[in-house]
Every structure is written in structure tokens, then in C-alpha cells.
Amino acid sequence: MDRPVQDLTWDYPVDGPLAEPVAAAVLAEINGHGPDGAPLTAYTELKEDGSTRCGCWIYCGVYADGVNQAARRRPGSEQDWVAAEWAWAWPANRRILYNRASAAPDGTPWSERKAYVWWDEDAGKWTGHDIPDFVPDRAPDFVPDEGATGPDALRGDDPFIMQADGKGWLYAPAGLEDGPLPTHYEPQDSPSATRFTRPHPAPPYASWCPGRATATTPAATTRAPRSSPTSSPRTASPSTSRRAA
């Protein structure tokens, strides 16, 4: 059953006293490559015929042009307020997901002062300060054909493109046992008690993973300064683990 793991190609360059794989090389592999071996620049270049390869589609483009885009550090004084050249955001270096919603149904900004992305009638495409999270040339008044499926079934004013109907959801209509609104869990160290569910401890992961980022008690940050626990190679070695057991 572990044949796929044993057959992995793990020929990355190594560095450091432990000869660990160079993280940038692993990132380049996750980014993906085209038929000619060149780094892919966007997930839209991925093909279903097997001619391209990619470790994770949302990170496709992070190594565009053979450059670690995530390592960019252009100062804010040298770019606009969206700061598209500071590091890299998935997917496609898009800083706000579903940003089609920043424009009115007719494609104009809800507010000129807060204009983010909008429909350029003359160019026939979406444009703006960020990478538009929408079909680039789908006009705001587009209406799909009867019987259309998938992305082709979304209207020009349906901004939430990862939802089946393109609409924003306040709750999940199927697939969850708690509803119609999702159950709210407070972190175990929260100073506030929840009144929406019976009193019981929150799932452990709510405390050490997403909960840490929003916890209000300084002690929680002190105990878990990073989002993921780590251990030294010696602690994680099989012999150490057996002794601990």
C-alpha cells in the first residue's frame, strides 16, 4: 500500500547540517511545469491530458518565470495600496477572493472611493487594482444558455464562482448536521461563553490552529506562538518515540 510513497522522486538539492531539502526547490515543484519543463505561470495553464504537472493548483504561479514570487519584498512606498508585489497570494496572486462582489451587478464600483475591480466596457474585460476573480471577459449582463453546467452556468452578476449557483451563502443547504446556520465554537481559552450551543469544550483544533490567530488572551499566544506544532528530528525519531511510549 505504500508503493506510491516508496516510488516518489525525491531528488531535491539539500542544505544545512541535516541535509534537508531546499524549500525553494520544493516550492518550485509544487508550482508545476509545462510540457517543455518551464515553470507554469498560472493555474489556467494546467491541462487534463497529463502534459502539465503541479503539486497544488492554488499555488500554481508562485514560481512563475522561475522566480520565487513569495519571496518578493517590494516596499509599500513603491507600489499601490493592494501591494501585489509584496510576497504572493493564492490563487493567481489575488489578494481578495470573490472580488467581483466589489462591483455592483452592472459592473461599476459600489463606491468610487473604494473601487477595487470593475468592468471595462471599452476593453471588454474585468480590470482593477487586483486580479479579477471572475471569468475575464464575461460581461455583467451575461445570461447563460439553458442547460449550461459548471462555470458556464454562472451569470455575469454571480460573483461567488466557487459556489454552484454563484451566490453568497449564509448557510450550507446540505452536507452538514448543524444548521441551518453553522454551529459556532469558541476557543477553549475564550473569555466569552457561547449561548448558541450546549456548554461543552470546543474541538481541540479550534484552540491551537485557527483559534490562536484570534484568541484574546495573551497566554494563548505565549503557549502557541506558531500556527503549527513542530518537533526536533531527535524528538521525532522512531527510537525516541518508542521510549516515550
Side-chain angles (χ1 to χ4, degrees):
M1 294 179 63
D2 61 350
R3 189 76 260 168
V5 177
Q6 293 187 40
D7 290 342
L8 282 174
T9 299
W10 196 260
D11 54 0
Y12 302 110
V14 296
D15 187 29
L18 299 177
E20 296 179 297
V22 175
V26 178
L27 184 63
E29 191 77 2
I30 294 173
N31 174 89
H33 298 83
D36 59 354
L40 297 171
T41 60
Y43 67 85
T44 52
E45 297 178 356
L46 293 171
K47 305 296 182 183
E48 61 183 16
D49 61 5
S51 60
T52 58
R53 62 183 187 273
C54 175
C56 183
W57 74 270
I58 62 173
Y59 297 128
C60 189
V62 69
Y63 230 88
D65 303 320
V67 176
N68 185 351
Q69 304 291 331
R72 297 179 300 171
R73 294 295 184 269
R74 185 174 182 179
S77 60
E78 298 179 6
Q79 55 180 321
D80 66 15
W81 54 278
V82 177
E85 295 185 50
W86 179 274
W88 190 88
W90 60 262
N93 200 32
R94 185 175 293 120
R95 301 305 166 122
I96 296 182
L97 299 177
Y98 300 136
N99 55 34
R100 162 67 178 91
S102 70
D106 65 359
T108 59
W110 288 108
S111 165
E112 290 298 333
R113 182 173 66 88
K114 299 179 181 179
Y116 198 67
V117 300
W118 56 88
W119 174 254
D120 186 330
E121 186 66 37
D122 295 333
K125 64 178 183 179
W126 290 92
T127 187
H129 301 293
D130 198 358
I131 305 297
D133 193 8
F134 204 65
V135 181
D137 59 354
R138 181 162 298 177
D141 59 358
F142 172 81
V143 177
D145 295 331
E146 188 72 26
T149 60
D152 295 334
L154 298 180
R155 296 165 49 97
D157 56 1
D158 288 335
F160 297 92
I161 58 175
M162 296 297 284
Q163 303 284 45
D165 57 3
K167 306 294 192 294
W169 291 6
L170 292 178
Y171 64 89
L176 297 177
E177 294 184 4
D178 49 3
L181 297 176
T183 296
H184 175 73
Y185 294 101
E186 288 286 353
Q188 290 178 320
D189 58 352
S190 173
S192 301
T194 174
R195 298 180 181 274
F196 299 102
T197 58
R198 64 185 185 278
H200 60 80
Y205 65 80
S207 179
W208 67 262
C209 189
R212 185 204 60 82
T214 56
T216 58
T217 53
T221 304
T222 302
R223 290 196 300 269
R226 297 179 178 84
S227 296
S228 302
T230 58
S231 61
S232 68
R234 179 179 180 277
T235 303
S237 67
S239 59
T240 304
S241 300
R242 283 195 296 270
R243 288 198 299 271

